Amino acid sequence: MNVQVKKVYRNDYLNIISALFKKLGLPQLIDHLVPVDPQCQTRVSDAVQAIIYNMFDGRQALVHVERWAQEIDLEKLIRPGLHPSWLNDDALARHLDRLYEADIHKVISTCLIHIYRKEGLSLRAFHADTTDKTVYGAYESASLEALQITHGYNRHHRWQKQIGFGLVGNEDGIPFYGDVHDGNLPDKTWNPEVLSRVHEQLKQAKMEDEWIYVADSAAMTKDTLAQTKAANAFLITRGPSSLRIVKRALAEVDSPHIPWSEPFTLAERSGATYRVWETSSTYEGHPVRLIVVESSALDQRKGKTLEKERTKEAELLREEQAHWERHPFSCREDAEQALASLKTSLRPRFHQVKAAVEEIVRPKKRRGRPKKGAEPEMETRYLLRLDVEFDPNAWEQARRKASRFVLVTTVPEEWKGQQMDAQEILKLYKGQISVEMNFAFLKDPFFTDEIYVKKPERVAVLGYLFLLALAIYRVFQRRVRQFITPEHPLKGAGGRKLTRPTGQAIFQLFQYVNVVLLELPDGRIQRSLDRSLTPEQRRILQGLGLDESIYV
């Protein structure tokens, strides 16, 4: 029997992403939103899948996608009959333009709502935040309504040409709303606007119940509070330290009679313990709850700032000590006066300083060489002696104060039959890390390398496709985590036990899955794996409701 090897494809985990994309019904939905052009050999869903799968395989410029498509099992990943040459950069660019004309924001928003419905995800609480992404090149557009790619300062205060991403998602990091916006749009403007848009998407999802909006301190504005109420939502945010009500709450907790809660922990790897105390106030006419939180884990940036302050204070005290030792006084009265002034001016935070006047008797210095056998003339001088000692109690108290922050919320104490006490509010706020982890994906050069397109409209479409890829990645990760438990962990690369594996850790397990394309004597083509799947690979596929058929 003469069987020939026609092609070997390095498929890896792309077949899983492809199967998930199709199971969610996204190709049909995209082609419904952007109808097929009868003059095109490809559909918009073909282009979207090619671009997204290319992201997951180490993103390349559109000009290289055609060559990349020749090296993957395109007919299995996207659809039979699809030829790699149809995915040239001109064809992909035309599809990007068609997506933009069809209102790319609406297309992706509809896809995200569809994913939430398919996955049966909760619409109870959402976490929101923004980030920026550097782009290069001179982007020209005839439309003032197009994405404005402008210079601005990024999160690290660097001047760069950038676009902005806004995300609103659940605790698993799955976006419910996403946008690509102008590079200089401030968060204080974005938050009120996005609240209204999320409210509209919830209506579209046939969900008009109350919900919770969790955001960072930029959401603490009059406009955001007003829009939160209009959107039938409640707000949880971090109170800026400059706010009067926040300062007052932080000052009040220093009183000895404040009834702090008992220390407790949340389900975190850091193992930090917390104490909370709650009070109430009003802000811009809105009643709010203020929750003062004290954490045993000091924020890394605040910790570095404190260390710098302590070091600087120690250096200043040493300089002060050296100064007074070099400048003695001739009379006690002057020394006592200087001592009183010094005690008033010295207010060290981390050190204890004991200052006193010390009387010393020493030979009086005269010009020239003293006569032989002459008795030296003595003089009395008065020195200020500083005894400086590090104060561990003051240091610990400063660290404790630095580890405190204030959460501001409009969530009632009881909501939907559940007690929303201070601990529950803190737990919801700590879920903010889910949206922050998404930014790591959006800035990972493996997934979202430099954007090589000419028009701002195409930059916007690519940005939205990044968001859709992120949603697929998070759904994949969530599905796997549902059947991976501490009792039955996943055996990852190097034999590590994974109880909450990331998507990338799961991808690593499928890195060497290859498909061999065999041509049989009768001319038929047959796909076959080059080796048997491992038990861990089979476990993941079974947990996802898949099998080897996604490859062969």
Side-chain angles (χ1 to χ4, degrees), residues 278-297:
E278 182 176 338
T279 184
S280 60
S281 185
T282 57
Y283 181 74
E284 298 290 355
H286 296 272
V288 293
R289 296 165 60 191
L290 301 175
I291 298 166
V292 182
V293 182
E294 183 180 284
S295 171
S296 64

Side-chain angles (χ1 to χ4, degrees), residues 231-500:
N232 200 27
F234 298 105
L235 176 67
I236 299 176
T237 185
R238 185 163 177 161
S241 56
S242 58
L243 280 187
R244 188 179 301 169
I245 58 173
V246 172
K247 288 180 179 178
R248 191 183 303 129
L250 287 172
E252 197 172 344
V253 293
D254 282 331
S255 302
H257 66 275
I258 290 298
W260 286 97
S261 72
E262 289 297 317
F264 62 90
T265 60
L266 300 175
E268 296 177 332
R269 290 184 178 179
S270 64
T273 59
Y274 301 93
R275 293 194 306 162
V276 292
W277 173 73
E278 182 176 338
T279 184
S280 60
S281 185
T282 57
Y283 181 74
E284 298 290 355
H286 296 272
V288 293
R289 296 165 60 191
L290 301 175
I291 298 166
V292 182
V293 182
E294 183 180 284
S295 171
S296 64
L298 183 64
D299 179 86
Q300 191 174 7
R301 286 174 299 179
K302 288 185 177 179
K304 286 182 178 178
T305 301
L306 273 182
E307 286 288 354
K308 286 180 181 178
E309 289 178 2
R310 183 177 74 164
T311 303
K312 186 176 180 181
E313 182 179 280
E315 289 175 357
L316 288 174
L317 288 172
R318 281 196 295 270
E319 290 174 5
E320 193 78 22
Q321 192 173 21
H323 169 77
W324 293 114
E325 287 180 358
R326 289 195 304 268
H327 298 83
F329 292 89
S330 299
C331 68
R332 179 176 287 275
E333 184 179 12
D334 289 346
E336 295 286 357
Q337 195 172 6
L339 177 63
S341 178
L342 179 64
K343 287 182 177 180
T344 304
S345 62
L346 276 183
R347 294 182 180 177
R349 290 182 63 193
F350 314 115
H351 297 82
Q352 290 181 344
V353 179
K354 295 179 181 178
V357 175
E358 181 179 323
E359 180 181 312
I360 59 170
V361 179
R362 66 184 186 184
K364 188 174 182 179
K365 291 183 180 179
R366 290 189 176 276
R367 295 179 66 181
R369 180 178 296 179
K371 292 181 180 180
K372 188 175 181 181
E375 288 290 331
E377 185 179 352
M378 306 302 289
E379 65 177 356
T380 302
R381 290 288 184 264
Y382 300 91
L383 287 177
L384 293 189
R385 291 287 189 190
L386 274 63
D387 184 13
V388 179
E389 186 178 349
F390 173 66
D391 188 347
N393 292 330
W395 173 248
E396 189 57 38
Q397 187 178 6
R399 284 178 57 85
R400 191 165 58 250
K401 283 187 176 182
S403 69
R404 292 173 184 167
F405 58 92
V406 178
L407 297 180
V408 183
T409 183
T410 59
V411 177
E413 293 182 2
E414 185 175 342
W415 182 59
K416 294 187 176 183
Q418 180 183 355
Q419 288 297 317
M420 303 299 290
D421 57 13
Q423 186 170 336
E424 184 64 25
I425 298 297
L426 174 61
K427 185 177 179 181
L428 279 171
Y429 178 76
K430 295 295 284 185
Q432 191 71 357
I433 192 172
S434 63
V435 72
E436 293 168 1
M437 292 296 290
N438 282 339
F439 296 151
F441 177 96
L442 292 175
K443 294 189 174 187
D444 190 331
F446 181 83
F447 297 118
T448 59
D449 202 358
E450 302 303 344
I451 298 175
Y452 303 99
V453 289
K454 295 180 180 179
K455 295 161 53 176
E457 293 85 352
R458 292 175 184 172
V459 173
V461 175
L462 272 180
Y464 275 102
L465 293 184
F466 292 166
L467 297 179
L468 183 57
L470 169 65
I472 302 301
Y473 177 82
R474 289 300 182 199
V475 168
F476 165 71
Q477 181 176 274
R478 175 181 177 272
R479 285 192 176 190
V480 173
R481 286 180 174 181
Q482 286 179 325
F483 60 84
I484 301 298
T485 63
E487 295 77 23
H488 300 92
L490 185 68
K491 191 174 181 181
R496 292 183 302 130
K497 291 184 178 180
L498 307 173
T499 57
R500 283 182 58 81

Side-chain angles (χ1 to χ4, degrees), residues 139-193:
Y139 299 99
E140 297 180 2
S141 174
S143 172
L144 293 175
E145 297 177 357
L147 177 69
Q148 298 301 305
I149 302 174
T150 57
H151 279 90
Y153 287 101
N154 69 358
R155 295 300 192 273
H156 303 290
H157 307 290
R158 294 184 186 133
W159 184 253
Q160 62 182 24
K161 186 177 285 189
Q162 61 189 16
I163 60 174
F165 283 107
L167 278 178
V168 179
N170 68 357
E171 61 184 5
D172 290 311
I174 301 173
F176 178 75
Y177 169 92
D179 63 35
V180 182
H181 55 252
D182 299 347
N184 281 334
L185 182 68
D187 285 2
K188 289 185 178 181
T189 303
W190 180 82
N191 275 295
E193 291 178 358

